[in-house]
Amino acid sequence: MSSIFVQSKLNYIMLDNTLFENTEIAFKLKSDSELERAYFLFKMISNQPLVRIGTAATNFALKAHLPVEGLIRATVFDHFCGGVNEEDCLPVIDKMYTAGVCSVLDYSVEGKAIENQFDSAKEKIMKLVEFSDEKEAMPIVVFKPTGLGRFFLFQKKGEGKAFTEAEQQEWDRVVARYHAICKLAKERDVEVLIDGEESWMQDAADDLAEDMMKVYNTDKPIVYNTLQTYRHDRLAFLKASHERAKSGGYLLGYKIVRGAYMEKERERANDKGYESPICKDKITTDKNFNDCLLYILNNLSTISIFIGTHNEESSFLALKLMDDLGISKDDNRVWFGQLFGMSDHISFNLAAHGYNVAKYLPFGPVKDVMPYLIRRAEENTSVAGQTGRELTLLKKERKRRKQS
Ligand SMILES: Cc1cc2nc3c(=O)[nH]c(=O)nc-3n(C[C@H](O)[C@H](O)[C@H](O)COP(=O)(O)OP(=O)(O)OC[C@H]3O[C@@H](n4cnc5c(N)ncnc54)[C@H](O)[C@@H]3O)c2cc1C
């Protein structure tokens, strides 16, 4: 067993880098049949051509109103989502909380660009804030910028182009939706994460998130923006926003992730002939992630962090840094997060050791969460990457159960 002894300011503790290998803890909430389903699912999605054909066929079937929802529900949907509505998610939330893992309910409906849908998304998120206030297992809520306003508006605003009068009014309504959510969150003491999206709309989203922090993060961090560290400019962005926050007298909150739109970013940069905003390779993204992590943990008195990753090395590095810096495991300024249906070995082992952990729990009507499910299937197709790891762990647990 390889272990690392780290001298912390407070005491000596043993950090064991096999921490995430305990599959009994990782899968203790899964019945044998759920374990088999997960194994079968990851085996299927490890097959790239199958995912491509499956994605196209599913999209076609849904558009043609063929009766495939039942099949999707019984497979990918139930594995990666909590249900079609909040009530469906309750048993899942309660079950995860028995193992100390919190939930961040994620209304994952994407691609809706109609005003009344933005309003109903805002209402939904505000309801979740109220719900979170009452339920210890849900201390945090999340929303996507384009869940509250049109992508095009964010893009135009970020490009510094003048709005028409109608667009300005539309933008004012987006800003009002942000305020309504963040104000309620501050009143109820519930943290709000704002997801990061494509870089060509993100500038306006970043400015708006910062405006919210100025207003609502005065006593404690309520609003968290997202840093996508596959962007090579994000450490500099973080440092500059930290300077502004220090001189403005407010606190920062950041969720750090690597980023989910790499192919799309590269394709667009290539098509339009500008330099890609994405790091040149995975190692550079990893370094950027770890550098942002280090910077924030070193400045925890003014920046709080939600570490959104399935990467074991980065998670382990965070533990080591926390220990080195004398940050207690349950310090409310440091949270770890994984997506529901992925990396239970990280989530449940971290929670078992007393760290703050919350899993994103997506919900929404089956056909509306398809873009989210497709992203999950696509990012899991590489056998060398995440799927290989999930399959190995699931296999290990199946074997362990058979032997015991
Ligand atoms: C709780 C949570 C919240 C999230 N919220 C968001 C969000 O708001 N916005 C968002 O965009 N994503 C979000 N994600 C997804 C996230 O950005 C990653 O896509 C996903 O977590 C995989 O990265 P990783 O750190 O887990 O693991 P890893 O498997 O170590 O990293 C994979 C990631 O590395 C990067 N990468 C891979 N290959 C290369 C390459 N050749 N060159 C450069 N970079 C490369 C890509 O970002 C890829 O997704 C979230 C994830 C979690 C767990």
Side-chain angles (χ1 to χ4, degrees), residues 29 49 52 74 118 148 184 191 221 240 274 284 290 297 305 321 357 365:
L29 298 184
R52 261 201 219 117
F118 296 139
L148 300 184
L184 182 67
E191 274 110 349
Y274 60 84
T284 315
N290 294 343
L297 290 179
I305 188 167
L321 290 171
V357 184

Side-chain angles (χ1 to χ4, degrees), residues 158-399:
E159 287 167 350
K161 292 185 182 151
F163 280 152
T164 63
E165 210 178 299
E167 284 168 353
Q168 184 58 51
Q169 286 169 5
E170 194 183 333
W171 178 253
D172 292 344
R173 289 195 292 276
V174 178
V175 177
R177 289 183 195 112
Y178 266 65
H179 274 293
I181 293 169
C182 298
K183 182 170 179 287
L184 182 67
K186 186 177 167 84
E187 284 163 14
R188 302 299 175 95
D189 198 13
V190 172
E191 274 110 349
V192 183
L193 308 178
I194 306 177
D195 277 347
E197 301 186 65
E198 289 87 341
S199 61
W200 57 101
M201 60 67 67
Q202 193 60 42
D203 285 350
D206 288 337
D207 289 346
L208 194 47
E210 195 163 309
D211 288 347
M212 297 299 124
M213 291 193 211
K214 277 178 204 159
V215 179
Y216 303 105
N217 287 7
T218 46
D219 313 322
K220 62 173 284 196
I222 290 290
V223 182
Y224 287 60
N225 194 14
T226 298
L227 284 176
Q228 294 155 306
T229 65
Y230 63 6
R231 288 184 56 175
H232 47 68
D233 62 355
R234 289 298 93 173
L235 181 61
F237 170 87
L238 167 64
K239 289 179 179 171
S241 88
H242 191 206
E243 286 313 310
R244 288 192 296 275
K246 281 192 286 187
S247 57
Y250 58 94
L251 300 162
L252 292 179
Y254 275 113
K255 166 166 60 113
I256 64 166
V257 300
R258 282 181 169 75
Y261 307 93
M262 184 174 74
E263 307 296 343
K264 222 171 161 183
E265 291 281 355
R266 286 193 168 141
E267 253 171 54
R268 185 174 191 270
N270 196 30
D271 287 351
K272 297 200 176 278
Y274 60 84
E275 192 207 335
S276 168
I278 305 301
C279 293
K280 65 178 190 322
D281 51 28
K282 174 76 163 62
I283 293 172
T284 315
T285 296
D286 291 345
K287 182 176 179 324
N288 207 21
F289 186 97
N290 294 343
D291 288 348
C292 289
L293 176 67
L294 178 66
Y295 183 86
I296 297 179
L297 290 179
N298 267 313
N299 288 284
L300 205 57
S301 59
T302 42
I303 321 178
S304 295
I305 188 167
F306 185 99
I307 306 162
T309 186
H310 302 130
N311 183 298
E312 288 172 24
E313 272 171 38
S314 292
S315 305
F316 193 71
L317 175 69
L319 306 187
K320 187 176 174 305
L321 290 171
M322 284 172 75
D323 191 57
D324 282 348
L325 295 163
I327 301 165
S328 73
K329 291 177 176 184
D330 62 349
D331 190 313
N332 196 43
R333 296 168 300 178
V334 183
W335 279 78
F336 291 85
Q338 288 75 41
L339 305 178
F340 182 71
M342 288 173 72
S343 295
D344 284 347
H345 63 299
I346 297 182
S347 315
F348 288 92
N349 280 302
L350 281 179
H353 283 81
Y355 293 93
N356 297 317
V357 184
K359 281 186 100 90
Y360 262 38
L361 185 58
F363 70 96
V366 175
K367 67 177 184 331
D368 294 335
V369 299
M370 276 317 287
Y372 175 87
L373 291 175
I374 289 166
R375 273 209 302 284
R376 294 295 76 83
E378 282 173 353
E379 82 184 15
N380 278 294
T381 48
S382 147
V383 178
Q386 183 64 30
T387 304
R389 188 79 186 119
E390 299 280 356
L391 279 172
T392 308
L393 291 159
L394 288 162
K395 237 191 251 170
K396 187 177 163 194
E397 177 60 7
R398 281 163 103 209
K399 195 169 161 200

